[in-house]
Amino acid sequence: MIADCSTNVWNRYDAQKPQCGFGEAGLCCRNCLQGPCRIDPHGEGPAVGVCGATADTMVARQFLEAVAIGTASHAAHARHLVAALEGMDIADIDRSKLKQVAARLQIDTDGRDNTDIVRDLVQVARSEFTDQQKWSLSVLPERRHAELRGAKLIPNFGIDAEIREALHRIHYGCDADPASLISAAIRLSIADLDACCMATELSDILFGVPQPVVASANIGVLKADAVNIALHGHSPRLSEAIIATAPKFENSARAAGATAGINLVGICCTGNEALMRQGINACASMLNQEAPMLTGAVDAMVTDYQCIMPSLTEVAKCTGTPVITTSDSAKIPGAQHLKFDENPEATVKKILMIATQNFKRRKGKVVHIPKAKTTSVAGFSVEALITALSRLDSDQPLKPLIDLIKSGHIRGIGLLAGCNNVKVKQDHNFIAMAEELLKKNILLVATGCGAGAFMRHGFMDPANVDRLCGETLAKVLHQIGEKNNLGGPLPPVLHMGSCVDNSRPVALAAALATAMDCDISDLPLVASAPEATTPKAMAIATYAMALGLPVHVGVPLPVGGSQNAMNLLRDDALTGGRLILEPVAENAAALLINIIDEHRIKLGLSQRRAAA
Ligand code: BF8
């Protein structure tokens, strides 16, 4: 077959139009071999499927299914890191994070050496998949436990067992009650949070807690005269191993004619992980992952799992770029498969050799690297934020932040998370919302592809604080920067990590709620996935609701076909959270600002709404 050299996500989307309206509304059911069945959302034609499933049942089942897929993905990621911890040289781990996590999980640390603590931690981690969900529940404050307990949303089993229960409910002839299915989805999302908390904290123990780091972002980080290796996927295991070994291959890269040596760049959430811990430049996010290869300058596209488009090998037919898959869970036809887990050291060496060979092949050929490149400061783990705030109050580091929220200098906090979606002009919703929210003095944190969007548009460059932020927020960012001798302010939007790292803003929210003696749902805190795409994003949005947060999603969710399911999610009586579906970014920002003001009034921080 002849390669399609014009292929990209945007023209493949165009070729799909018009997309199926039944599917978009969640009204196409393929759960059994009597189907597919579909229900007309306009009331014309059958109102039930062959088995009698109503629109409410179909929509609620599909919602639960999406949360189950997202949870399974995060669980697989967490398991991969448990395996890494079992095989890791204990001398290399972050001892202080190990002790902090172990103590929270009630593992005795007093006078014990790291080997013993790690052994116990691995045992707890393993039982998280089967018997319990200590990891997430130990992060949440008692008030949230009480809310979840009252609503019967505390998980009964471990992560895998909850996923099994969800998939069972979806089976032909099982749970048909939309309220029961939605509540199962919300309970399952606690398992998703559990997997995210575990993945983040094990990554920190294995590879270090992120600290602020200055790097560059966007496609201009590629170099014509370097062996460019793109690190794509999600787990830091592969990227950390390549980062550690690459210096040993510098000489062979230069001998091959690459005067700039080896240039590692990040894609997607692996990009976020490598940036936050190692200062590796971030090249692209999920949506524009094909673009780096189209420059002709990538010498190896190395992937592990999740959010990797199978189209990469089609692009490779045109550019000659080696695409190397490394996880049996994410093979792509046409890619070279080198299984990382089997022999990490040999795999990494082979990857570096393949990339160097490719440079020899492409040396002297024209490449097209756009100049787009921004300065970005990333690495704001909760620990890094606490350290920065401790320069204002070493005894009670959270107090300055709470005081600023109380005084209104920081009107509220917004988490902008999740993917880019081809249905939205790339980055538009992120940028339009952040422009509104920052001007209104709302402190913004970002994760996942959202963080990528902000990096590309200068929202993580401290030089842009005065232009983008309202007066009081700008003053705060300058003040914290000064106290930390940064030579400038903190950036307008704080990069808190990859998608699994949404556990970091959750930990921050939990700490704030505890310190302010209120529930997470009372805080002037909102979340948004304005360009959500994947089931993982749906699972994360659901656990944010389970925590009582207002959660905005800016693209259609397949729930529109059931008013009952929409009502259950819109104002979730079970958790105090709510789902806000609003496609227009400016409207969404206005809604979130209103909610922040409502929460401020309820907390007694404001008498009335501030000027819009
Ligand atoms: O996990 S934000 S497109 S890359 S799912 Fe995927 Fe969405 Fe990007 Fe990372 Ni998260």
Side-chain angles (χ1 to χ4, degrees), residues 442-461:
I442 289 162
L443 178 69
L444 293 184
V445 301
T447 52
C449 289
F454 291 123
M455 286 193 280
R456 280 190 285 282
H457 295 270
F459 281 64
M460 290 187 173
D461 182 350

Side-chain angles (χ1 to χ4, degrees), residues 270-334:
T270 287
N272 288 323
E273 300 272 356
L275 165 70
M276 297 258 291
R277 293 198 181 84
Q278 305 291 349
I280 297 295
N281 292 333
C283 185
S285 300
M286 178 278 288
L287 192 63
N288 62 341
Q289 62 186 270
E290 295 157 305
M293 283 173 57
L294 289 167
T295 64
V298 174
D299 296 300
M301 173 64 87
V302 189
T303 68
D304 54 21
Y305 41 73
Q306 298 169 18
C307 306
I308 298 151
M309 290 185 191
S311 63
L312 290 179
T313 49
E314 189 64 23
V315 178
K317 286 182 196 160
C318 307
T319 59
T321 314
V323 176
I324 303 165
T325 53
T326 62
S327 162
D328 282 358
S329 303
K331 291 182 174 182
I332 304 175

Side-chain angles (χ1 to χ4, degrees), residues 435-504:
E435 279 174 346
E436 293 295 317
L437 296 168
L438 288 173
K439 266 191 274 169
K440 300 292 167 10
N441 298 304
I442 289 162
L443 178 69
L444 293 184
V445 301
T447 52
C449 289
F454 291 123
M455 286 193 280
R456 280 190 285 282
H457 295 270
F459 281 64
M460 290 187 173
D461 182 350
N464 294 326
V465 159
D466 295 328
R467 178 172 66 80
L468 292 169
C469 299
E471 199 182 325
T472 58
L473 177 62
K475 205 168 147 193
V476 168
L477 296 173
H478 275 285
Q479 189 194 5
I480 299 174
E482 262 166 39
K483 292 279 182 190
N484 284 274
N485 297 320
L486 299 181
L490 296 184
V493 179
L494 303 179
H495 191 319
M496 287 194 93
S498 61
C499 237
V500 289
D501 288 342
N502 279 306
S503 57
R504 298 189 201 276

